[in-house]
Amino acid sequence: MKLIDGKKIAQSLRETLTKEIKTLKAKHNNVPGLAVVQVGDVAASSVYVKAKTKNAKEVGINVFDHHLDENITEKELLDLINKLNTQEDVDGILVQLPLPKNINEQKVLDTIKPSKDADGFHPLNVGKLSIASHNDENLLIPCTPYGVLIMLKELKIDLIGKNAVIVGRSNIVGKPMAQLLVKESCTVTIAHSKTKELQKICKNADIIVAAVGKPKMIKDGWVKEGAIVLDVGINRIQVQKDGKIKNILVGDVDFQEVKNTASAITPVPGGVGPMTIACLLRNTTIAFKNKYT
Ligand code: GUN
């Protein structure tokens, strides 16, 4: 079994971006700018936002931090986004999800200027991803599925005609993942909570992307010998260790069970997570470059 080291691949992507941003600075006397918008204090969001901010600064991106109170109105948030849309030195806008319930998430995503959409969630970018040619380097693609694709490509295997099963149909992961894998000429199945005989469908997969948010759901009996398993799940669970209750992170895949059956697998943590962040920095750099073309 090969452990797919997301930390290492993400680091290498960040090093490439650092060099590229240096070159861009020499050329344009300017660096990419990323506005990071967080509303409220959801614990997981704070962890991601902190990591995104730190990594962005490290590669040379200017970060504009907007941490807003959880009681902010939808109008106030939309006003901020409209301001960022016109702010010259902001190339990418990231609104960390989920948003508080009184705010219409889709309306917020629709308001972000498509050319500054660092997450690739605006309907125009979603549409572009669906119709674009295979090697369009200017696209703003959702970060987690793009990170998964980079990890798959690092394995240097032929993806053409492979059976890929994606478990989860979210706009953030499942659906864009399907678009990316179809572009790679995989035969793609999107499975979800209502799918019948899910285990049987997974067992037929050459590639499984697990993005359901159910801790350790995918067990050994679900995975074909030699399959590649990419685990997008980040679930916080409590376990008892040395008489103490501890919080740990686990994926949607039961790693201990599956590791001997899969030919390659991503760990949690240290798998897909760091790739998502690196791809956000990539999108911000693409948005900056697109400005000059
Ligand atoms: N919440 C969970 N994943 C993501 C992501 O990729 N981007 C944003 N903005 N919010 C998220």
Side-chain angles (χ1 to χ4, degrees):
M1 181 273 297
K2 178 181 165 47
L3 191 70
I4 307 173
D5 188 344
K7 257 190 182 166
K8 199 166 138 200
I9 303 169
Q11 191 189 343
S12 148
L13 181 53
R14 290 198 306 271
E15 281 166 9
T16 306
L17 286 170
T18 306
K19 282 188 203 134
E20 187 175 10
I21 290 168
K22 268 202 188 116
T23 310
L24 289 168
K25 188 174 180 181
K27 190 169 166 193
H28 300 294
N29 196 24
N30 212 345
V31 295
L34 174 67
V36 178
V37 182
Q38 183 186 356
V39 183
D41 292 291
V42 175
S45 291
S46 297
V47 173
Y48 298 136
V49 161
K50 201 172 151 197
K52 286 172 180 179
T53 303
K54 178 172 173 277
N55 280 282
K57 287 179 181 166
E58 277 169 9
V59 300
I61 290 175
N62 262 341
V63 178
F64 302 89
D65 181 27
H66 293 273
H67 192 174
L68 309 172
D69 189 89
E70 68 165 321
N71 296 317
I72 192 174
T73 64
E74 184 180 284
K75 164 108 179 25
E76 284 171 301
L77 180 57
L78 295 178
D79 285 349
L80 170 65
I81 291 170
N82 280 316
K83 194 182 117 212
L84 296 171
N85 281 343
T86 57
Q87 193 175 321
E88 278 285 318
D89 48 2
V90 168
D91 299 289
I93 302 169
L94 156 86
V95 179
Q96 187 64 31
L97 304 178
L99 290 170
K101 289 194 176 49
N102 63 309
I103 296 177
N104 181 334
E105 220 161 74
Q106 192 58 50
K107 201 165 164 186
V108 171
L109 298 179
D110 290 356
T111 304
I112 295 173
K113 191 176 175 185
S115 59
K116 295 191 176 190
D117 175 25
D119 262 317
F121 292 161
H122 186 282
L124 186 77
N125 291 320
V126 174
K128 278 187 178 175
L129 176 63
S130 148
I131 58 180
S133 67
H134 190 166
N135 286 320
D136 191 338
E137 289 290 318
N138 302 325
L139 286 180
L140 299 174
I141 301 172
C143 308
T144 301
Y146 195 69
V148 169
L149 181 67
I150 294 176
M151 294 170 111
L152 257 179
K153 289 196 165 178
E154 281 283 313
L155 295 172
K156 310 258 185 276
I157 55 148
D158 186 10
L159 294 174
I160 296 172
K162 289 282 191 301
N163 276 335
V165 172
I166 301 160
V167 191
R169 55 176 152 176
S170 68
N171 292 337
I172 293 181
V173 186
K175 287 185 219 165
M177 188 78 250
Q179 297 288 2
L180 290 169
L181 291 174
V182 165
K183 274 193 221 299
E184 297 298 326
S185 301
C186 290
T187 304
V188 178
T189 303
I190 304 184
H192 47 78
S193 57
K194 303 285 190 295
T195 298
K196 291 187 177 130
E197 302 195 89
L198 179 58
Q199 179 172 349
K200 204 166 132 193
I201 289 170
C202 288
K203 188 92 188 182
N204 191 38
D206 303 307
I207 299 163
I208 298 179
V209 180
V212 265
K214 293 218 163 69
K216 299 189 190 181
M217 185 181 90
I218 294 178
K219 304 283 180 191
D220 189 36
W222 297 43
V223 177
K224 183 167 80 176
E225 186 76 40
I228 299 163
V229 179
L230 301 127
D231 191 351
V232 177
I234 300 179
N235 310 290
R236 283 170 177 77
I237 62 163
Q238 291 192 325
V239 291
Q240 235 186 346
K241 207 175 170 196
D242 308 328
K244 283 188 199 141
I245 295 190
K246 280 193 159 178
N247 290 310
I248 60 161
L249 280 186
V250 297
D252 293 345
V253 176
D254 192 324
F255 185 88
Q256 290 307 326
E257 278 206 8
V258 169
K259 68 174 197 230
N260 296 321
T261 311
S263 63
I265 184 168
T266 61
V268 177
V272 177
M275 293 302 296
T276 297
I277 301 177
C279 289
L280 171 75
L281 312 180
R282 177 182 174 272
N283 274 348
T284 307
T285 310
I286 289 174
F288 176 82
K289 287 190 289 183
N290 286 346
K291 200 163 68 169
Y292 294 97
T293 54

